[in-house]
């Protein structure tokens, strides 16, 4: 397809905000850098009007568009597989308004999560969604409905999006939701866009719900002899109304990689697994919950109970948890997986994974969010050649995803489906559900120019599918 450079220059005149071939390679892949596409143009818009102009041009000429933010995606959602235009929202990164009366903040989609959190906390407020990658963009978080470590208490990104401005594939600017709390007025278009992985519209402004900043926050590290004992203990803790903010599980074998990567050492190295918890709220409430959980944990097989009152020690412990994917990647290429199962089936699923590892010979290390059943796996390549790796990876993933669905789970809790999970998601999803998803796609993007053949969208040629 031919891109008219002059037509795009009429929309974005700044030379540093509109690039043509050769496009820097880092913009044609995702965070893992293994799946690569190519594009004829790279645009950095600064407003909804510029986004609208680019999409209207692309729609008129049937040119594919791939939106992206900070580039931290792990499943290929930001890879321009169809060519065309890359629409990079990273320079739309301003905080537009803090409204204390409605407890909302309005931001552009390119602002980084870590920058937003730092800003609102400096104002005595709190934005709870907390995915592991803090350098991700808010627009990307919304596009994948990112969860993170505090989901067990506070929920996921969807629960904090009050309103969106978004641009449809034909250039129409849409405003959905707002600062109000309730809305029973027609279909919830806002919720349709959240989690859609850039396949329906390009987000250009976000109105986000805030909470008061908690008075106190304390973390606890609890070692167990094995992961099954730790997961069973988590169920007891969740049923005891102790209201933890975060409940993370880590197998010792992945913690060891994190220690080597970060230089931090965990206490009780003889443990087979660790549960890492955080409690926040009013100080007396936090202290009461700490003691309640101490009793429950020790009664249910904990080897120790370390309250991380030293902020530096707590930061180190959490730094290891946040760097686990990078720690595994530093040792070997790996496939990151974020399957979700019902909380009560987490231990059963982990047991299946460990048995699969033993029977297949493919190394698989587990960690994740014990409080919501979101299991992160790193499937490790080791010294396998490309052909062997592809064959054995798909063989074990076929079995892991099938088992997750058998247990009542789903393919992704927060990374999205993108490209790398499509075969498993499409195979396991109900045909009726997929048909409805694609009817919505066809209604909003009839020419299939926006992030086509990602997630739920079948591999059909645009000129044959309309």
């Amino acid at each position: 397809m031919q891109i008219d450079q002059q037509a795009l220059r009429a929309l974005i005149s700044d030379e540093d905000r509109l690039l043509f071939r050769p496009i820097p390679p880092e913009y044609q892949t995702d965070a893992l850098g293994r799946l690569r596409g190519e594009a004829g143009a790279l645009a950095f818009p600064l407003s909804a009007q510029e986004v609208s102009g680019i999409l209207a041009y692309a729609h008129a000429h049937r040119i594919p568009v791939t939106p992206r933010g900070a580039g931290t995606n792990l499943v290929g959602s930001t890879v321009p597989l169809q060519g065309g235009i890359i629409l990079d929202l990273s320079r739309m990164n301003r905080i537009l308004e803090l409204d204390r009366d409605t407890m909302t903040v309005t931001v552009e989609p390119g602002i980084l999560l870590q920058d937003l959190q730092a800003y609102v906390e400096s104002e005595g407020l709190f934005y709870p969604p907390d995915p592991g990658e803090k350098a991700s963009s808010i627009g990307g978080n919304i596009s994948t409905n990112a969860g993170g470590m505090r989901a067990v208490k506070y929920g996921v990104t969807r629960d904090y999006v009050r309103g969106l401005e978004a641009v449809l594939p034909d250039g129409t600017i849409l405003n959905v939701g707002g600062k109000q709390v309730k809305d029973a007025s027609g279909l919830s278009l806002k919720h349709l866009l959240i989690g859609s992985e850039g396949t329906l519209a390009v987000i250009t402004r976000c109105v986000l719900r805030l909470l008061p900043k908690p008075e106190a926050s304390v973390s606890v590290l609890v070692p167990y002899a094995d992961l099954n004992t730790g997961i069973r203990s988590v169920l007891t803790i969740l049923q005891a109304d102790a209201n933890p903010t975060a409940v993370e599980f880590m197998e010792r074998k992945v913690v060891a990689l994190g220690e080597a990567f970060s230089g931090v050492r965990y206490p009780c190295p003889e443990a087979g697994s660790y549960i890492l918890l955080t409690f926040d709220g009013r100080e007396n409430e936090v202290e009461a919950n700490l003691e309640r959980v101490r009793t429950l944990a020790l009664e249910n097989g904990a080897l120790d109970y370390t309250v991380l009152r030293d902020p530096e020690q707590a930061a180190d412990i959490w730094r290891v948890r946040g760097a686990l994917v990078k720690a595994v990647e530093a040792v070997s290429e790996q496939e990151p997986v974020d399957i979700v199962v019902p909380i009560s089936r987490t231990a059963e699923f982990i047991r299946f994974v460990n048995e699969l590892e033993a029977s297949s010979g493919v190394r698989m290390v587990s960690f994740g969010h014990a409080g919501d059943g979101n299991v992160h796996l790193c499937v490790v390549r080791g010294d396998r050649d490309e052909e062997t790796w592809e064959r054995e990876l798909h063989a074990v993933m076929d079995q892991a995803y099938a088992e997750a669905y058998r247990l009542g789970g789903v393919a992704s809790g927060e990374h999205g489906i993108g490209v790398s999970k499509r075969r498993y998601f499409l195979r396991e999803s109900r045909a009726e559900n997929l048909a409805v998803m694609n009817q919505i796609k066809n209604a909003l993007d009839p020419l299939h120019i926006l992030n086509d053949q990602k997630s739920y969208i079948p591999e059909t040629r645009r000129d044959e599918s309309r």
Side-chain angles (χ1 to χ4, degrees):
M1 78 234 17
Q2 191 68 30
I3 294 176
D4 186 336
Q5 296 189 13
Q6 288 188 330
L8 289 183
R9 288 284 183 209
L11 300 170
I12 296 181
S13 58
D14 300 341
E15 288 193 6
D16 70 325
R17 293 198 294 117
L18 187 59
L19 307 178
F20 299 98
R21 286 194 176 100
I23 305 298
E26 62 268 24
Y27 292 97
Q28 301 185 78
T29 186
D30 61 5
L32 294 178
R34 293 191 276 272
L35 183 63
R36 294 189 175 275
E38 61 177 34
L42 168 62
F44 296 92
L46 295 180
S47 68
Q49 287 69 34
E50 288 186 346
V51 172
S52 173
I54 292 168
L55 286 176
Y57 166 78
H59 185 266
H61 297 87
R62 294 177 174 246
I63 295 173
V65 176
T66 303
R68 65 179 283 127
T72 59
N73 184 262
L74 296 173
V75 295
S77 301
T78 57
V79 179
L81 296 178
Q82 309 301 312
I85 301 169
I86 300 170
L87 197 59
D88 188 301
L89 286 300
S90 61
R91 300 191 192 183
M92 292 179 65
N93 59 4
R94 295 178 300 164
I95 296 169
L96 301 175
E97 181 191 35
L98 177 64
D99 187 338
R100 291 183 177 275
D101 291 337
T102 61
M103 292 290 282
T104 61
V105 63
T106 303
V107 301
E108 292 179 324
I111 188 170
L112 301 185
L113 172 66
Q114 61 194 15
D115 295 337
L116 172 64
Q117 288 178 331
Y119 169 73
V120 299
E121 289 182 28
S122 73
E123 297 289 332
L125 299 169
F126 186 46
Y127 179 70
D130 195 42
E133 180 53 82
K134 307 300 186 287
S136 57
S137 69
I138 289 297
N141 290 174
I142 293 171
S143 294
T144 57
N145 189 29
M149 303 173 192
R150 296 195 284 234
V152 61
K153 178 176 180 178
Y154 290 109
V156 296
T157 297
R158 182 183 302 278
D159 302 307
Y160 295 88
V161 178
R162 285 277 171 81
L164 294 172
E165 176 187 75
V167 184
L168 296 178
D170 66 356
T172 301
I173 298 177
L174 202 64
N175 282 279
V176 294
K179 294 182 179 180
Q180 72 279 354
V181 176
K182 293 182 177 181
D183 185 352
S185 309
L187 297 179
S188 181
L189 300 179
K190 171 187 72 175
H191 286 290
L192 187 63
L193 300 183
I194 299 168
S196 63
E197 296 186 61
T199 61
L200 300 179
V202 176
I203 296 168
T204 52
R205 190 175 69 240
C206 323
V207 181
L208 305 173
R209 169 193 174 206
L210 302 176
L211 300 178
K213 185 178 178 181
E215 182 179 293
S217 179
V218 180
S219 293
V220 180
L221 186 66
V222 190
Y224 291 86
D226 57 76
L227 186 58
N228 283 344
T229 304
I231 295 294
R232 287 197 303 270
S233 180
V234 166
L235 294 176
T236 303
I237 292 168
L238 293 175
Q239 292 165 5
D241 195 29
N243 206 20
T245 308
V247 186
E248 299 293 298
F249 75 88
M250 298 163 283
E251 290 186 292
R252 174 63 205 174
K253 56 187 177 182
V254 71
V255 168
L257 293 173
E259 289 175 332
F261 182 78
S262 66
V264 174
R265 293 289 177 265
Y266 269 34
C268 201
E270 69 275 16
S273 70
Y274 298 89
I275 302 295
L276 179 57
L277 305 100
T278 297
F279 300 88
D280 70 7
R282 295 192 180 278
E283 194 159 343
N284 59 347
E285 172 193 8
V286 169
E287 292 301 321
N289 285 330
L290 284 171
E291 287 308 307
R292 182 182 306 163
V293 171
R294 177 194 297 274
T295 301
L296 289 170
L298 295 174
E299 287 177 350
N300 286 273
L303 303 177
D304 200 355
Y305 188 85
T306 304
V307 180
L308 306 172
R309 295 194 183 277
D310 177 1
E312 194 170 310
Q313 183 190 21
D316 281 344
I317 295 295
W318 275 106
R319 183 156 54 89
V320 172
R321 166 59 187 91
L324 290 182
V325 171
K326 293 178 181 177
V328 177
E329 188 77 18
V331 174
S332 168
E333 180 181 330
Q334 51 85 34
E335 181 75 9
V337 179
D338 70 320
I339 286 170
V340 185
V341 296
I343 297 173
S344 61
R345 313 302 290 272
T346 306
E348 186 177 348
F349 181 69
I350 294 297
R351 184 164 56 250
F352 174 86
V353 168
N354 288 334
E355 291 170 355
L356 180 59
E357 178 185 37
S359 64
S360 67
V362 178
R363 187 181 185 191
M364 305 172 76
V365 293
S366 305
F367 58 96
H369 314 310
D372 57 28
N374 194 175
V375 179
H376 289 273
L377 301 176
C378 292
V379 186
V380 183
R381 176 174 177 170
D383 59 1
R384 292 170 175 82
D385 61 48
E386 189 67 30
E387 181 182 348
T388 303
W389 169 235
E390 286 295 315
R391 183 180 67 253
E392 295 189 2
L393 172 64
H394 290 313
V396 296
M397 286 293 89
D398 277 338
Q399 295 178 70
Y401 281 106
E403 177 67 6
Y405 276 88
R406 187 189 72 80
L407 294 173
V410 294
S412 175
E414 47 197 18
H415 295 171
I417 300 300
V419 176
S420 63
K421 299 178 187 175
R422 288 183 77 251
R423 62 183 286 168
Y424 315 110
F425 172 71
L426 295 176
R427 184 193 67 195
E428 301 291 348
S429 296
R430 293 176 61 88
E432 300 88 344
N433 294 7
L434 292 172
V436 171
M437 292 180 195
N438 280 282
Q439 287 169 8
I440 294 169
K441 170 68 173 178
N442 293 342
L444 296 184
D445 185 11
L447 300 182
H448 278 220
I449 68 164
L450 192 56
N451 232 15
D452 197 29
Q453 298 182 25
K454 306 280 180 68
S455 188
Y456 58 90
I457 307 168
E459 293 182 6
T460 54
R461 291 173 54 190
R462 287 184 303 279
D463 58 352
E464 293 179 350
S465 60
R466 303 305 98 223

